[in-house]
Amino acid sequence: MRKRLTALMMTAALACGSLIACGSDSTTAYASETIYGEVTAVSDTGFTITVGTYENNELTLGEETADITVNDDTTYSMAMGGGEAPSGDGEAPTKPDDAATEESTDETTDETTEETTEETTDEETTEDTEDTEDSSDDTAMTEATVEAGAEAPADGEAPSGDKPDGEAPSGDKPEGEAPSGDGEAADGEAPADSEASADGEAPSGDGEAPADMGDAQTELTLSDIEVGTQVAVTFDADGNVESVEILGGTQSAMGQPGGNMTSAADITYSALYEYNADETVEGETIASTGTDENAILVTDGEVTVKDSTITRTSDDSTGGDNSSFYGVGATLLTTGGTLTVDNVTIDSDAAGGAGVYAYGDGVAYVSNSTITTQQDTSGGIHVAGGGTLYANDNTIETNGESSAAIRSDRGGGTMVVDGGTYTSNGTGSPAVYCTADITISNATLTATGAEAVCIEGLNSLTLTDCDLTGNIPTNEQNDCDWNIILYQSMSGDSEVGNSTFSMTGGSITAKNGGMFYTTNTESTFVLENVDITYADENDFFLKVTGNTNQRGWGTSGDNGAQCSFTAINQEMEGDIIWDTISTLDMEMTDGSVLTGAFIDDESAAGNGGDGYANLTIDSSSKWIVTGDSVLTSLTNNGTIVDEDGNTVSIVGTDGTVYVEGTSSYTITVSEYAD
C-alpha cells in the first residue's frame, strides 16, 4: 500500500512540482482512491495530512503530505468502533446472569470466581464462614470479571435522590440542591432518573450517547477535523474529495483522545471485590494491584464501606477513555447499585484510578473521607453516563494529568458536594471539570496547574460560598489565558447546548490570565456578591468571542459565543471583550460596579457577523469607564463615569450625541436609552 501511494505522489510531483504547490489540484492523483493520514493543519477550505497506511486499526505514518480540499458535496462520518460514540442510553452495565448470587438462609458462603483473560468462569471455591442469625441476602465478595452493557437489573434503578435506608455516613446527603438539568439548580433533590439529557450534536458527557446521537453523527462537518485527527479520505473519479471518515485522534477538553472509543456494551470490568446485594464492609484494609481493576465494584444492592483503607496500585493500568468514560480501573465504582463511603482513606497510584466513580444507574454517597490519586485520568470523585454522586466533607487531592478533583465525563450525570477541600495539581486538571450538572457548597476548590473551572456544552455548575482558585499555564494553542471557561470542544465529551456558571458568595482567585472566557457555545453566567482577586496581568474580566480553531473548537469565523451575564451586587474589574460573531447581553443590578471598558476585538471573527454587545445598568449600579468603549445597545439607569469621576460621552454610530461628557473617553453605541 505504501509503495503504491508513494508512486502516486511522485506522479503528482512530476506534474506540478510538488503536492503542496498543486493546491486544490494536488489530490487528483488519488482519483477513485482512499488514502489515510493524520491531520497536521486545518483551514477554512480543507486540511493537510501526513499520509500513511492503515492496518489492524492502526495508522502508520510515512513522510509524504497531501493537501485535502473539501467541497460542498463532501460527506463526513465517524468510524464504527473508532471515533463512534457509545450506543447506550444511560443504563448501567451489569454482570452476566451466571454471576448472580443466590439467597442464603442461616449460612453465608463466599464464592470466589477465577479470572481468565477473556471471560469469567463459574468455578467456585468455598470458604468457611461463621453462621449468623441476622444474615439475609448473600453478597458475594469475590474476585470477578464483570461484562458491561447488559440490561440493568430490575431493582437496580437509581434512587430518586433520597438517601437509601440502612447504614449511611454520618453526614448523610449534603443539603445542596441537585441541578435540574437545565442550567439552574432545582429546588428539590436529585432527579428521579440519572439519564443525561440530549438534544445536541455530540454525546452529553463522557459515558453515553444522547438519545439523538444518530442524527448527530450525520451532521459532522469540517469543523470536527482538528490537528491530530486520523482520517480516511475517499476521492471520486475526478479527484474530488467525496468523503472524510474520522478514525480517531481528536482531543477532549481534558486532553484525552476522543477517538478510538468503545461502546458501553464492549466494556469489561475486572474487580477485586464485586457486590450485587446489600452488604457492609467495615474496618477493612483492601489493596488492589490488578491491571485496570476496580478494588470494589457495586452492580446492585446497597453497599456501605466505612472506617476502611483502600489502595489501588498498578504500573500496567492503561487509563484513557475507558477509565474516563466508564470507570474502568476506578478504585471504587458503582454501575447499578448504591455505594455509601464513610470515613475511608483511598490512595490510588494507577492510571485511570479514580477515587470514587458513579456510572449509569449507580449512586454514590461519599462522606468524611480522604482521597489521593497520583496518575493520569484519575479524578477524585467522578460521574459519567448519567451517574449520581453526593459528597460531604471530604479531603481530595489529585496529581495526574486530566484528573480534576471533581470530575465528570461523557454521558454526564449529577453531583452534589457540600463542604470539604478539593485540590487538583496536574496539567489539564481543573478543580472542577464539568460535563454534568454539579452543585457545590461551602467547599475549597483549587487547581494549581490549570484553570479553576471548565464547563463544556449543555451542563451546569452552581457554587455557593465556595473559595475557588485557578492557575492556568500559558499555552500557545490557546487564544488567551483564562480562569473559568465555558465552551464546546466538539470532541463529543458534551452535548451541544447552554453552559451555565452560577456563583453566590465565596471567592474566586486567578493566578494567571483573564477571569471568564466563553467561546463556541451558548453560555449563562450569574455572579452575586463574590469576592474576586485578579491575576497581576488581568487580561480581561469577560471575553465573549470566537477562537482561531487551534484546538478544533468549531469553524473559524463561525465559532463565537452567545452569552448572558448577570451581575448582582457584584464588583468587577477588567475589560469586556466581544466580537461580531458573538452575542452578549449583560445586566448589572443591586449595586454592581464594573471598572473596565467594552472592546470589540474582531481578531477571531473572520469576516464578522451580526453579533452584538448589550449592556443594561440599573439605578443602583455603576460603570467606571477605563477606556474608549463600543457597545451595540446601552440602557443606563445608573451611573457612568471615568476613574476620576468625570462624565463619559455617549455617541451614536450615526453621530448623535446622547451624553456630552467631560472625560477623555467615549462610548460608541448603536442604540441608547436612559
Side-chain angles (χ1 to χ4, degrees):
M1 180 68 175
R2 178 176 293 179
K3 290 181 179 179
R4 185 178 184 186
L5 285 172
T6 302
L8 288 169
M9 302 284 279
M10 290 177 65
T11 300
L14 290 172
C16 59
S18 73
L19 268 172
I20 299 303
C22 290
S24 61
D25 295 329
S26 65
T27 54
T28 57
Y30 300 113
S32 301
E33 294 281 345
T34 296
I35 65 172
Y36 302 89
E38 182 172 292
V39 176
T40 58
V42 181
S43 70
D44 292 337
T45 58
F47 50 89
T48 301
I49 63 172
T50 298
V51 179
T53 57
Y54 192 70
E55 296 179 358
N56 299 321
N57 294 324
E58 291 189 4
L59 178 66
T60 301
L61 298 178
E63 296 181 358
E64 291 87 349
T65 61
D67 280 342
I68 307 299
T69 301
V70 299
N71 55 70
D72 292 341
D73 296 325
T74 301
T75 61
Y76 302 84
S77 63
M78 195 78 80
M80 295 294 291
E84 187 182 35
S87 58
D89 59 1
E91 292 187 353
T94 57
K95 59 185 181 54
D97 293 339
D98 60 3
T101 57
E102 301 176 353
E103 279 190 53
S104 67
T105 54
D106 292 334
E107 183 173 352
T108 300
T109 302
D110 288 342
E111 298 177 352
T112 302
T113 305
E114 296 182 358
E115 294 182 2
T116 65
T117 302
E118 297 292 337
E119 61 185 5
T120 305
T121 68
D122 291 330
E123 297 179 10
E124 302 172 355
T125 60
T126 304
E127 300 176 357
D128 293 335
T129 60
E130 295 182 2
D131 293 343
T132 59
E133 294 182 358
D134 295 333
S135 65
S136 53
D137 291 341
D138 179 15
T139 299
M141 189 175 183
T142 65
E143 289 189 87
T145 298
V146 181
E147 292 186 1
E151 280 186 21
D155 58 353
E157 295 182 0
S160 61
D162 296 330
K163 179 68 185 74
D165 294 332
E167 286 197 76
S170 59
D172 290 331
K173 184 176 79 67
E175 295 179 358
E177 297 174 345
S180 61
D182 59 0
E184 296 180 2
D187 291 334
E189 295 173 336
D193 58 36
S194 29
E195 292 185 10
S197 60
D199 64 3
E201 159 281 339
S204 58
D206 260 348
E208 288 293 333
D212 61 350
M213 187 62 202
D215 291 338
Q217 288 296 82
T218 64
E219 296 175 358
L220 296 175
T221 66
L222 178 61
S223 65
D224 296 291
I225 307 294
E226 61 185 81
V227 174
T229 300
Q230 297 174 3
V231 295
V233 182
T234 300
F235 301 88
D236 63 18
D238 296 324
N240 299 313
V241 178
E242 186 174 75
S243 65
V244 177
E245 184 178 37
I246 299 174
L247 305 174
T250 56
Q251 295 294 312
S252 71
M254 293 290 288
Q256 294 305 310
N260 296 320
M261 294 177 290
T262 55
S263 69
D266 297 325
I267 296 300
T268 297
Y269 294 110
S270 175
L272 180 62
Y273 296 112
E274 184 251 330
Y275 298 90
N276 49 31
D278 296 354
E279 182 72 14
T280 297
V281 178
E282 183 174 2
E284 297 289 340
T285 298
I286 297 172
S288 165
T289 59
T291 300
D292 297 327
E293 174 184 76
N294 302 119
I296 289 178
L297 171 63
V298 176
T299 59
D300 198 5
E302 297 180 2
V303 177
T304 297
V305 181
K306 60 188 302 185
D307 303 330
S308 297
T309 298
I310 302 174
T311 60
R312 173 88 185 92
T313 305
S314 170
D315 293 333
D316 300 324
S317 291
T318 55
D321 287 349
N322 287 347
S323 295
S324 295
F325 301 164
Y326 309 110
V328 171
T331 309
L332 287 85
L333 170 67
T334 174
T335 63
T338 299
L339 169 65
T340 298
V341 179
D342 182 27
N343 191 32
V344 175
T345 298
I346 299 170
D347 287 307
S348 169
D349 194 0
V356 180
Y357 194 121
Y359 176 81
D361 289 336
V363 180
Y365 294 84
V366 187
S367 297
N368 309 308
S369 295
T370 300
I371 299 174
T372 306
T373 71
Q374 301 295 340
Q375 300 300 322
D376 297 347
T377 58
S378 300
I381 51 177
H382 191 146
V383 298
T388 304
L389 189 148
Y390 299 96
N392 191 2
D393 293 332
N394 300 291
T395 300
I396 293 179
E397 179 180 346
T398 65
N399 295 285
E401 294 184 10
S402 304
S403 300
I406 298 174
R407 190 177 185 215
S408 54
D409 236 304
R410 184 157 294 161
T414 301
M415 302 180 82
V416 180
V417 179
D418 187 11
T421 301
Y422 301 83
T423 304
S424 306
N425 295 319
T427 301
S429 299
V432 182
Y433 177 64
C434 179
T435 58
D437 291 317
I438 302 176
T439 298
I440 307 174
S441 304
N442 308 304
T444 300
L445 312 164
T446 305
T448 63
E451 63 267 66
V453 166
C454 173
I455 306 175
E456 184 170 352
L458 186 61
N459 296 290
S460 66
L461 174 63
T462 301
L463 302 177
T464 303
D465 296 330
C466 292
D467 293 321
L468 177 66
T469 301
N471 186 19
I472 188 171
T474 297
N475 185 325
E476 63 182 9
Q477 282 190 299
N478 297 333
D479 291 348
C480 59
D481 299 324
W482 57 80
N483 197 41
I484 294 168
I485 184 171
L486 279 60
Y487 78 121
Q488 174 56 254
S489 74
M490 312 305 295
S491 67
D493 286 343
S494 175
E495 185 179 346
V496 171
N498 192 84
S499 299
T500 299
F501 176 86
S502 177
M503 186 168 185
T504 302
S507 67
I508 303 175
T509 299
K511 299 288 189 178
N512 185 41
M515 188 57 63
F516 300 103
Y517 177 43
T518 180
T519 186
N520 198 39
T521 192
E522 297 176 9
S523 58
T524 299
F525 295 84
V526 179
L527 214 60
E528 180 175 2
N529 194 27
V530 178
D531 183 13
I532 302 179
T533 301
Y534 302 91
D536 292 340
E537 294 186 8
N538 181 18
D539 298 335
F540 51 82
F541 175 76
L542 172 65
K543 184 174 182 180
V544 183
T545 66
N547 65 84
T548 56
N549 197 33
Q550 293 189 76
R551 289 185 171 274
W553 297 348
T555 302
S556 296
D558 192 31
N559 54 10
Q562 297 77 50
C563 177
S564 169
F565 194 105
T566 302
I568 306 169
N569 188 25
Q570 183 62 54
E571 292 192 7
M572 301 165 284
E573 295 181 12
D575 293 334
I576 313 293
I577 302 173
W578 64 282
D579 63 21
T580 56
I581 62 170
S582 303
T583 63
L584 169 62
D585 289 287
M586 184 170 184
E587 185 175 8
M588 297 169 56
T589 69
D590 296 274
S592 294
V593 179
L594 169 65
T595 302
F598 276 77
I599 299 172
D600 179 3
D601 178 359
E602 297 293 299
S603 59
N607 295 323
D610 298 324
Y612 61 81
N614 297 338
L615 173 65
T616 299
I617 306 172
D618 78 356
S619 60
S620 65
S621 299
K622 178 189 292 188
W623 176 15
I624 301 174
V625 181
T626 60
D628 289 337
S629 297
V630 177
L631 283 162
T632 307
S633 173
L634 173 59
T635 301
N636 177 35
N637 294 307
T639 303
I640 299 178
V641 295
D642 66 13
E643 292 175 294
D644 296 322
N646 299 314
T647 304
V648 179
S649 296
I650 302 174
V651 178
T653 53
D654 61 358
T656 302
V657 177
Y658 296 106
V659 176
E660 183 71 55
T662 57
S663 171
S664 60
Y665 301 134
T666 298
I667 302 169
T668 301
V669 299
S670 298
E671 299 177 5
Y672 177 73
D674 56 10

